[in-house]
Amino acid sequence: MGPRGHRWGGPGRGWGGPGGKGRGRSADLPSADDASAWFTGRLPEAWFTEPPMVVVDREEITIVGQLPALEGEFADDAARAAAESGRISRFREETREERIEIARQAEHRYGRKVAWGAKVGDTEELFTTLSVPVMTRLRQEERLILDTLVDAGVARSRSEALAWAVRLVGEHAEEWLTELRQAMTKVDDLRTKGPEL
């Protein structure tokens, strides 16, 4: 599983089923069903030690690859973590131009922005990911929950508190969310097989 409760790999879907069909403006997006396979075939074989993890939603495709493990001994866990972070930073710099070109091709193919990340050992870093505003209306009881999180120092603002709450739900309701995504996929499949009106 990836961060934010998203499913990694698989048929190239995250939230919203195949291309988000039938869900507002995303209904016009190209399908991203084959995104995992496309990136696996398109990326240089020397970059990662295994096929990359790919997650797709309505705005963004995120690719995270496993880099070769570091060799040698380290004084402690902090030193190892620093070395892993440095290795990810080197990968980011060395592959920048090629990643930009691959992202350009993918954005043309799938109609979504592309973000990158890498893992070494226990260290995972995402490079540039979208932060997409989501408008919502909350009743007083719900606003008070966000304000409590802000007052307690868990978040700096209501929007950050809401993002924190969404992450928490994703972490603790993954099984239910997975079942919900599978059900949505079945509905999308049935919709495409239905009669034309």
Side-chain angles (χ1 to χ4, degrees):
M1 297 295 166
R4 303 183 298 279
H6 288 267
R7 179 180 58 184
W8 291 112
R13 295 184 187 125
W15 292 105
K21 290 181 216 167
R23 291 174 182 80
R25 71 158 193 87
S26 59
D28 296 332
L29 283 174
S31 172
D33 289 358
D34 65 349
S36 290
W38 187 85
F39 279 102
T40 297
R42 177 63 183 84
L43 297 179
E45 292 178 5
W47 278 12
F48 304 128
T49 59
E50 58 191 51
M53 297 181 295
V54 177
V55 65
V56 178
D57 70 9
R58 297 172 193 170
E59 291 86 15
E60 186 174 31
I61 300 174
T62 303
I63 303 96
V64 178
Q66 181 72 48
L67 302 178
L70 294 176
E71 298 179 3
E73 297 296 322
F74 297 91
D76 53 27
D77 290 343
R80 176 173 288 280
E84 290 171 349
S85 181
R87 177 65 186 90
I88 291 171
S89 179
R90 187 176 85 190
F91 169 81
R92 183 179 184 181
E93 291 302 318
E94 290 177 349
T95 62
R96 183 182 309 276
E97 293 303 317
E98 196 164 3
R99 283 187 297 103
I100 289 172
E101 176 58 22
I102 293 170
R104 186 191 63 75
Q105 295 171 11
E107 288 169 11
H108 178 74
R109 180 181 178 97
Y110 297 114
R112 296 161 172 87
K113 291 294 183 183
V114 173
W116 299 90
K119 286 184 65 175
V120 179
D122 294 330
T123 303
E124 177 178 327
E125 295 181 11
L126 297 178
F127 304 158
T128 52
T129 59
L130 291 178
S131 179
V132 179
V134 179
M135 301 301 293
T136 186
R137 294 181 182 274
L138 299 176
R139 298 191 181 280
Q140 186 180 38
E141 181 179 357
E142 297 159 336
R143 297 193 306 270
L144 285 171
I145 293 171
L146 299 183
D147 290 342
T148 299
L149 294 172
V150 172
D151 293 342
V154 173
R156 291 174 291 189
S157 64
R158 282 181 171 177
S159 61
E160 189 175 282
L162 186 57
W164 179 86
V166 170
R167 284 194 300 272
L168 191 65
V169 169
E171 290 171 5
H172 293 283
E174 184 57 41
E175 183 177 350
W176 178 78
L177 289 171
T178 298
E179 291 177 6
L180 181 60
R181 291 184 196 114
Q182 291 170 348
M184 289 163 45
T185 298
K186 290 177 183 176
V187 169
D188 281 326
D189 291 343
L190 289 172
R191 185 182 291 120
T192 60
K193 294 176 183 176
E196 294 292 331
L197 299 178

